Amino acid sequence: MLAGGGSAGHVNPLLAVADELVARDPDLVVTVLGTEQGLESELVPGRGYPLVHVPRVPLPRRPTLDWFALPARLRAAVDAAGAAIDEAGAQVVVGFGGYVATPAYLAARHRGIPVVVHEQNARPGLANRLGARWAAAVAVTFPGTRLPGAVVTGLPLRPELADLVAERATDARAARTRAAAELGLDPDLPTLVVTGGSLGAVSLNLAAAGASGALLAAGAQVLHLTGAGKADAVRDLVRDGVQGAGLPGRYQVREYLGRMQLALAVADLVLCRSGAGTVSELAALGLPAVYVPLPVGNGEQRLNARPVVDAGGGVLVPDVELDAAWVRERLVPMLTDASALAAMGAAAAGVGRTDSAARVADLVEGVL
């Protein structure tokens, strides 16, 4: 029984481990616990795994009125998770954090069923901090994550990213050329990919688009993924930056790219947030990046990027310091220095992990 959901950061590693386990033993029965509202409601059935819904139970981080409703809601979720475990005859529960992980861990404990925990972020969430207390095995993405008995496995990669890692190892130039052709880009130009995730990041959008003139003047090309509803504003900024009526062909603006592996196949440098998935994928691919941690939350994004930045595989920039001037003065020289980028890429690859799904599957099989 695999439990996790709510965001791609939880669902993608879950599916990667599920695929690895089934590849090893086609007779293995895998069932997934998730919510009706999360991304898992589409991705899990789409991958061919049965999804059992568990009520969504956010754990309040500080005292609020929600505390009074928590016991009843949690009890209902634990009962639902327990019923799913019983029906599936599960022998181990593997949790990836998120809203359904806590009831899955508690239901498994009540039944004496072993638990394996995987934590994606450098700073663990509440659910995994709870589950790790009695887990049979604990896997973490980053060194230094404070969970008892933690084994560093890295973050299991999505199959399309794992395929790109293998393709780049065999013939990176061919992978780049094919991706550039599909995207309408020139494989021979220095290429910056800008992405703030599916929702975008206003600070990244403003900084990159505001420096569009300098980026193009340096002979680079840009694939700018703005996030939903933000493309028109970025296009206007780029037009202003290059002082032209039309959008330059070397500055490509899209809201979203479903096949993100194409962007990463052609990228020389990435300007991005530092979510665990982003950091892990870029390091596995050996891609240098300018990481701009999300300025809200518990500071986990800064911690996520720290190992690769300390190794020389990226640059960490506080959100408040990122603007068009920073891009012109710091990023443009970096993007146009091929030898520096090569050194950064090698450093990133040195801390990247490409076999994380297999490492987590090893822990699960050990428990089984």
Side-chain angles (χ1 to χ4, degrees):
M1 180 74 69
L2 275 59
S7 70
H10 295 123
V11 181
N12 285 329
L14 181 154
L15 290 174
V17 172
D19 289 348
E20 176 68 20
L21 289 167
V22 171
R24 295 181 179 194
D25 180 3
D27 294 326
L28 186 71
V29 177
V30 173
T31 304
V32 178
L33 291 181
T35 66
E36 289 187 86
Q37 301 86 3
L39 195 60
E40 66 272 18
S41 63
E42 298 179 10
L43 295 183
V44 170
R47 193 69 67 82
Y49 297 110
L51 177 68
V52 179
H53 294 137
V54 174
R56 182 177 179 271
V57 186
L59 298 179
R61 292 182 178 271
R62 53 185 59 87
T64 67
L65 291 177
D66 289 339
W67 275 107
F68 296 103
L70 180 62
R73 295 171 64 185
L74 184 57
R75 190 178 307 113
V78 172
D79 289 345
I85 290 171
D86 293 341
E87 183 173 350
Q91 295 170 280
V92 62
V93 169
V94 188
F96 294 82
Y99 295 128
V100 301
T102 297
Y105 296 151
L106 292 172
R109 189 186 192 194
H110 293 164
R111 288 159 174 76
I113 294 172
V115 164
V116 176
V117 169
H118 182 276
E119 173 57 51
Q120 62 160 321
N121 286 302
R123 180 168 286 163
L126 293 173
N128 282 347
R129 294 211 304 268
L130 175 69
R133 293 179 182 178
W134 63 80
V138 177
V140 297
T141 299
F142 302 105
T145 299
R146 295 183 178 179
L147 288 177
V151 176
V152 179
T153 62
L155 188 74
L157 298 175
R158 294 177 284 161
E160 55 269 28
L161 266 296
D163 290 345
L164 179 58
V165 169
E167 190 177 7
R168 281 168 60 90
T170 302
D171 192 341
R173 177 65 188 179
R176 180 186 180 96
T177 300
R178 282 194 295 272
E182 290 200 48
L183 294 171
L185 296 171
D186 187 336
D188 296 320
L189 292 180
T191 304
L192 172 68
V193 171
V194 181
T195 175
S198 58
L199 298 178
V202 173
S203 57
L204 273 65
N205 288 346
L206 293 176
S212 55
L215 285 162
L216 296 178
Q221 64 186 352
V222 180
L223 174 58
H224 191 146
L225 307 177
T226 67
K230 298 178 173 68
D232 287 342
V234 168
R235 290 189 181 101
D236 290 342
L237 281 172
V238 173
R239 291 188 188 99
D240 292 343
V242 299
Q243 299 179 342
L247 195 68
R250 285 193 289 121
Y251 201 112
Q252 189 177 126
V253 177
R254 302 186 183 205
E255 287 194 356
Y256 178 73
L257 183 62
R259 298 169 66 196
M260 189 64 188
Q261 66 271 23
L262 295 177
L264 299 182
V266 77
D268 293 297
L269 181 66
V270 183
L271 174 63
C272 55
R273 292 295 193 203
S274 50
T278 299
V279 174
S280 298
E281 290 175 357
L282 295 182
L285 290 165
L287 284 177
V290 173
Y291 293 110
V292 187
L294 194 68
V296 297
N298 62 6
E300 65 191 27
Q301 288 208 353
R302 179 181 57 81
L303 296 176
N304 291 344
R306 180 53 62 191
V308 68
V309 169
D310 286 347
V315 176
L316 195 64
V317 184
D319 189 84
V320 69
E321 295 181 14
L322 182 74
D323 57 16
W326 195 97
V327 173
R328 285 191 295 267
E329 296 164 11
R330 300 284 302 279
L331 189 149
V332 171
M334 194 186 313
L335 178 61
T336 53
D337 187 338
S339 61
L341 287 179
M344 289 178 66
V351 297
R353 296 179 183 269
T354 61
D355 60 347
S356 300
R359 289 171 179 261
V360 176
D362 287 343
L363 294 178
V364 175
E365 287 189 338
V367 171
L368 280 170

